[in-house]
Amino acid sequence: MFYLLRLTKDLDLHPKFFGKNLKDVIERKLIDEVEGTCNGRYGYVIAVNKIESISKGVIRQDGTGYATFTVRYMAAVCRPYKGEVIDCVVTSVNKMGFFAEAGPLQIFVSNHLIPEEFEYNSIGDPSYTSRDDSMRIQEKTEVRLRIVGTKMDQTEIFCIGTIKEDYLGVIGGTL
């Protein structure tokens, strides 16, 4: 799920930033552009850990005076895989299933992937309640689920999960 990767990024800088603080400007621009974004190949970039190298700038030939710097850096990324078991917090419940979050990921669990012992209850706060009322899945409940499918987009990662297996389901009360 979480990995430390070596990545590269080309940054274009306006000439007004050329000066003694050039390195600091490049670091700030890199962090602003990549942290919190989703890359279709690597997943969500959580944080830039270390900048390994910054190339000498190459002046663009379009007459603007901009320079392009190639930056190599280490970043913590989040990329889920099919079959992975994760702990998450339920964010919303409806009759079709529920949504849960684990860090930047949003996972949908369909009512077909919830054990039959849970029934949807729309009275009060919407929830899935076990027949003996010993367990309840509602907003802010901690659950353990298995990812059964992922779809990577250039800007988002979509996940489908299940709690219909052994050792999965409610692991804590409401936060």
Side-chain angles (χ1 to χ4, degrees):
M1 162 126 350
F2 293 100
Y3 303 96
L4 196 57
L5 293 178
R6 179 174 286 118
L7 302 171
T8 59
K9 173 89 174 154
D10 289 335
L11 297 176
D12 292 330
L13 281 182
H14 191 273
K16 71 180 178 184
F17 296 114
F18 302 165
K20 63 181 179 178
N21 296 329
L22 181 63
K23 184 177 178 185
D24 295 334
V25 170
I26 290 172
E27 287 179 22
R28 174 64 20 221
K29 185 169 174 84
L30 176 71
I31 290 170
D32 290 344
E33 284 191 16
V34 300
E35 280 188 2
T37 62
C38 181
N39 178 314
R41 183 173 178 188
Y42 302 114
Y44 287 105
V45 177
I46 306 296
V48 173
N49 289 16
K50 176 183 170 189
I51 294 179
E52 292 184 338
S53 67
I54 301 171
S55 72
K56 291 182 179 180
V58 177
I59 305 293
R60 292 186 0 196
Q61 299 300 315
D62 58 3
T64 61
Y66 277 77
T68 301
F69 295 87
T70 301
V71 183
R72 288 183 50 153
Y73 61 98
M74 296 292 288
V77 297
C78 173
R79 185 170 194 265
Y81 288 97
K82 186 177 175 180
E84 191 167 13
V85 175
I86 58 173
D87 296 345
C88 24
V89 178
V90 175
T91 56
S92 68
V93 178
N94 61 42
K95 66 180 179 180
M96 301 302 287
F98 65 85
F99 287 92
E101 286 183 352
L105 297 176
Q106 187 162 13
I107 302 116
F108 177 69
V109 179
S110 167
N111 59 4
H112 300 292
L113 298 172
I114 298 173
E116 285 84 25
E117 70 182 66
F118 285 91
E119 294 176 353
Y120 180 70
N121 182 1
S122 62
I123 299 171
D125 289 334
S127 65
Y128 283 91
T129 310
S130 63
R131 289 193 182 116
D132 61 357
D133 286 332
S134 64
M135 288 186 281
R136 184 182 190 117
I137 299 172
Q138 61 186 14
E139 195 173 309
K140 297 186 181 174
T141 301
E142 295 177 22
V143 294
R144 180 168 292 143
L145 56 84
R146 178 180 310 277
I147 295 175
V148 295
T150 61
K151 181 177 185 247
M152 300 286 282
D153 196 323
Q154 278 296 0
T155 58
E156 244 180 324
I157 301 174
F158 304 97
C159 296
I160 303 294
T162 182
I163 61 171
K164 203 174 185 177
E165 296 177 14
D166 291 339
Y167 307 109
L168 301 179
V170 178
I171 56 172
T174 305
L175 294 175

